Amino acid sequence: MPEEKRGHPGSKVPASHRDLIECPPVAALTTVGLDGYPQTSVVWCDFDGEHVRINTMRGFAKERNMRRDPRVTLLCYDPGQPIRYLEVRGTVDEMTEKGATEHLDALASKYAGRKIRYFGEVIPVRFAQTETPILCLVRPKDVVALESTGSRCGP
């Protein structure tokens, strides 16, 4: 039987689910598009104890959407335990180029398990000339953590 832990406005990410927001295997960010429909993108993220930190590129749909409407939802889960997840609804407090490239390199290194650079080792270095990383700081407003105590699906 799944156990749901629903947060309250301004709630914190529970320690039991902190691993799901620190470079989770799967993270999907949903923003509100210009037409009012949700727009969801797979993202890399981490958590600094106060903000969920997400990196995107200037001009991407999610970047434009967050500048226009700062309300977002982030869903993080482990594919090995798909009914153990963390949903963070929040508001983008800040979007900045300052420190964004360093943060992107740090995320790439966490995901790779070794020190690497995003431009040149994850994507071709030529994109560093045309893409501008944007660091987005999301303040959690409502947090839902689900933990399953049941069996896994499949064989």
Side-chain angles (χ1 to χ4, degrees):
M1 177 69 78
E3 176 187 340
E4 183 176 272
K5 301 171 186 174
R6 181 169 290 278
H8 302 285
S11 66
K12 302 293 182 194
V13 174
S16 63
H17 287 68
R18 188 75 50 100
D19 63 304
L20 292 179
I21 206 160
E22 279 294 334
C23 296
V26 179
L29 177 72
T30 300
T31 60
V32 180
L34 184 59
D35 58 4
Y37 283 95
Q39 190 269 334
T40 303
S41 303
V42 173
V43 295
W44 285 354
C45 66
D46 65 6
F47 186 62
D48 69 6
E50 183 178 354
H51 291 99
V52 178
R53 301 183 306 174
I54 298 167
N55 219 295
T56 188
M57 298 293 164
R58 181 168 304 288
F60 281 19
K62 61 184 162 286
E63 187 260 350
R64 293 189 317 268
N65 290 345
M66 288 185 286
R67 287 196 189 280
R68 190 183 56 265
D69 186 336
R71 297 172 301 163
V72 300
T73 297
L74 182 73
L75 179 67
C76 305
Y77 71 94
D78 182 341
Q81 300 180 64
I83 50 179
R84 178 176 180 259
Y85 69 83
L86 180 70
E87 177 190 17
V88 177
R89 295 179 193 169
T91 305
V92 179
D93 276 354
E94 182 179 358
M95 296 175 73
T96 182
E97 292 178 27
K98 184 178 179 183
T101 300
E102 295 79 8
H103 179 250
L104 191 54
D105 287 343
L107 284 176
S109 296
K110 282 183 183 180
Y111 278 95
R114 61 183 173 81
K115 189 163 179 61
I116 63 171
R117 289 191 160 172
Y118 183 77
F119 293 110
E121 295 181 80
V122 176
I123 66 169
V125 72
R126 72 178 183 275
F127 287 110
Q129 303 303 315
T130 59
E131 302 296 332
T132 303
I134 303 294
L135 175 59
C136 308
L137 303 179
V138 176
R139 180 173 306 279
K141 299 289 186 196
D142 191 35
V143 175
V144 177
L146 184 79
E147 184 85 38
S148 172
T149 56
S151 62
R152 293 172 58 181
C153 296

